[in-house]
Amino acid sequence: MSTVRASGFGTGTLSRACALIHTLLTVEALLLLTASPGLAALPLLGPDPANIPLAALCLLPLGPALSAALYALHHRSRDLTELHPGRAYLRGWRLNAVPALKLWAPLLLWLTVIAFTLTHFSATGLPGWWALLLALTGTGSLLWGAHALVLTSLFAFRARDTARLAAYFVFRHGRATLAAASLLVLTAASATVLTEALPALLAAPLLLSLLHGSRSVIAETRRDFTA
């Protein structure tokens, strides 16, 4: 009887729930810690559109932090007796910091150009439909970035291969792209209606949702694009 109880410890519903909460809290804390050099400076910037490039610079550390968080959440244990989320996060950061920056930095630069153009659109002299085109381009870039972030966090592809796969999956897996779009809308709405800090405080659950929505992308990548 004691052997059965010992072997069952840490595998029940309550234990799995506790393991998930512990993992989310640990990953969230480490994400905020590793991204803090940039995130701490964001509130110091005023709402002036001229600060958009500085805001993008502040967001640079966030890319590797998000990638490490996705890695840790993907490799999380559901057994309360086998929890090492901190170790998994640090391993993900070491493995993915440079690959993530190779994609995150160009994405931030491109989004900065779009945002700066839209905030100074009256000075460009372009027709109004260009603003809509730029907004759609920015949205598409964010969806591409969501797929690229998942791929670079879980697989060891070259940056250009990851970029191509992410673009392919935007159209190949419409449900996964729609799930990422829903998370982007939720993040933007929570930041606008409630507080700008809320998406950062809920980053771990949002990333777990992104992983859940990207299951088909992850499965096809593992099946068809890895040895």
Side-chain angles (χ1 to χ4, degrees):
M1 180 67 70
S2 61
T3 303
V4 173
R5 288 177 178 174
S7 63
F9 178 76
T11 60
T13 302
L14 181 59
S15 295
R16 291 197 299 270
C18 291
L20 175 60
I21 293 172
H22 173 75
T23 299
L24 288 174
L25 290 176
T26 302
V27 169
E28 179 69 34
L30 289 172
L31 187 154
L32 293 176
L33 179 64
T34 51
S36 60
L39 295 181
L42 277 177
L44 303 178
L45 300 177
D48 191 337
N51 289 329
I52 290 176
L54 292 177
L57 189 62
C58 291
L59 290 175
L60 269 179
L62 185 60
L66 292 173
S67 181
L70 282 170
Y71 180 92
L73 292 171
H74 180 71
H75 292 89
R76 67 186 176 91
S77 173
R78 291 164 176 77
D79 188 340
L80 191 60
T81 63
E82 294 292 335
L83 293 182
H84 305 288
R87 186 185 306 171
Y89 183 93
L90 294 176
R91 174 174 171 78
W93 199 94
R94 288 195 302 270
L95 290 174
N96 298 328
V98 173
L101 273 178
K102 288 181 179 179
L103 296 168
W104 182 253
L107 177 61
L108 277 181
L109 178 60
W110 176 235
L111 292 175
T112 298
V113 172
I114 292 176
F116 198 83
T117 303
L118 287 174
T119 54
H120 297 80
F121 193 75
S122 59
T124 64
L126 294 171
W129 59 268
W130 266 92
L132 177 60
L133 180 61
L134 286 173
L136 291 175
T137 302
T139 302
S141 299
L142 286 171
L143 295 175
W144 170 87
H147 286 310
L149 187 62
V150 171
L151 292 172
T152 199
S153 301
L154 307 184
F155 301 97
F157 297 129
R158 294 175 299 181
R160 64 175 177 267
D161 293 331
T162 301
R164 291 169 182 167
L165 275 177
Y168 168 72
F169 285 135
V170 167
F171 302 100
R172 166 70 173 172
H173 289 284
R175 293 182 64 180
T177 302
L178 183 60
S182 300
L183 289 174
L184 288 175
V185 171
L186 178 62
T187 300
S190 62
T192 302
V193 177
L194 298 175
T195 171
E196 295 176 355
L198 190 59
L201 296 176
L202 296 178
L206 290 172
L207 290 173
L208 186 62
S209 298
L210 177 62
L211 277 176
H212 182 78
S214 301
R215 288 175 300 174
S216 58
V217 170
I218 296 169
E220 181 173 340
T221 302
R222 183 176 290 116
R223 183 182 66 248
D224 297 340
F225 298 102
T226 60

